[in-house]
Structure formats: structure tokens, C-alpha cells
Amino acid sequence: MFQSGEYFGELSLIDGKRTSAAVGVTKDSTLALISKENFFSILHTQNKILDNLLNTLCMRIRGSLETIQMFSQTQANKRLFMFFNKLATQYGTDAPNGTALNIRLTHNELANMTGLARQTITKVMDEWKAEGVIIIHSGKFIHLTEKFFKLPLE
């Protein structure tokens, strides 16, 4: 999921290969297109943009490695724990007794992002709610309590 000011499609501009990615928006957005020629012209003349691109590529590679680690977990609670930790880094804000995830996700969306069945997501989250590990606000906003960060899962 991208935020305002972020970009995508740079790999195709760099290596000329197509990527089988789909992009959708959840609110009104403005998108800009750039040709390969203009892209390389900017990279060769604007060192700050090149530095930002390299940093972004490194972040995405690290994110991909984290995702591979997450998918290698066979226990659903460990996989969901790793995913929520990743969301906490990207979308979390300090809240009383923990971290609030400032992103709305359905159980189906969580299942798609973790490779788990929706029913498994519901089961783990229901267990965590009962134990006070997470709190669900306004139907879909997730609050990770201090207990979440002390789970003996890692």
C-alpha cells in the first residue's frame, strides 16, 4: 500500500521488463506518468532523486525479505504477529496502552496479505481479543496493546 508522494513502476523503467502488478486507489488520487527517457535524464542529473530511488529500492528489498520470512512461518499466530508488527512500523501511532494501526483492513484483506484463510485470521484475532492482546475499534481499526508486543512468538 502506497501513501501520498510514493511511486511505483520504477523497476519496469530501469530494466524494461513488464511487471504483472495491479494498482487501485481507495480515495481520489492524482497520478503522474514519466517516460523512460525522462526518468533516466532526471536520474543522471539529480543526485538526490537517484539517492532517494536507491533508498526506496533497499527498503522494498528489505520489506520483501520480511515478507518471505513471514510466509515461511507455519503457525498462523506467528505469521499474523509478524504482519501486525510490520503494519505497526508503517501505519502505527502511539496510543494509550499500545499502538493504534491507522489503516482499516477486513479479515479477508488480512487473509489475502498473509496467505492465511479468513477463518484462521478470525480465530487468531478472536483469541487475541479475548486475551486483551488486541482491541478492535469502530469495526476495523486495530489497537495492538502492550500485551501484543510481549507475546512469546518470535
Side-chain angles (χ1 to χ4, degrees):
M1 289 179 267
F2 292 99
Q3 301 295 316
S4 178
E6 292 185 287
Y7 52 88
F8 56 91
E10 68 282 353
L11 290 180
S12 294
L13 283 172
I14 293 169
D15 67 9
K17 296 180 182 175
R18 291 189 175 268
T19 303
S20 60
V23 178
V25 297
T26 58
K27 56 185 176 184
D28 287 345
S29 302
T30 301
L31 304 177
L33 299 175
I34 186 169
S35 69
K36 184 174 184 172
E37 295 75 26
N38 287 340
F39 177 73
F40 276 104
S41 175
I42 291 169
L43 285 183
H44 290 132
T45 60
Q46 305 290 323
N47 288 335
K48 180 132 179 83
I49 291 176
L50 178 59
D51 290 345
N52 287 341
L53 175 64
L54 291 173
N55 285 330
T56 297
L57 291 174
C58 287
M59 276 185 358
R60 291 185 184 166
I61 290 169
R62 290 185 193 284
S64 294
L65 293 172
E66 288 174 5
T67 299
I68 291 167
Q69 283 182 318
M70 179 191 70
F71 279 111
S72 72
Q73 296 297 321
T74 56
Q75 294 180 356
N77 58 347
K78 285 186 179 182
R79 192 179 293 186
L80 194 55
F81 175 81
M82 291 178 78
F83 185 68
F84 280 169
N85 261 318
K86 187 174 184 175
L87 290 179
T89 302
Q90 294 174 319
Y91 303 102
T93 56
D94 289 337
N97 188 33
T99 300
L101 299 182
N102 296 312
I103 182 170
R104 294 178 72 138
L105 294 171
T106 65
H107 287 204
N108 200 48
E109 290 168 327
L110 289 169
N112 289 336
M113 293 176 179
T114 59
L116 296 167
R118 186 201 50 77
Q119 297 86 342
T120 303
I121 295 289
T122 300
K123 179 180 179 282
V124 172
M125 289 182 66
D126 284 348
E127 289 171 3
W128 285 351
K129 282 191 287 187
E131 296 167 4
V133 172
I134 63 171
I135 301 166
I136 307 298
H137 295 289
S138 303
K140 294 185 182 118
F141 286 104
I142 301 168
H143 180 113
L144 307 174
T145 69
E146 291 172 359
K147 287 182 179 182
F148 174 85
F149 297 100
K150 295 176 184 172
L151 285 173
L153 298 175
E154 292 191 284

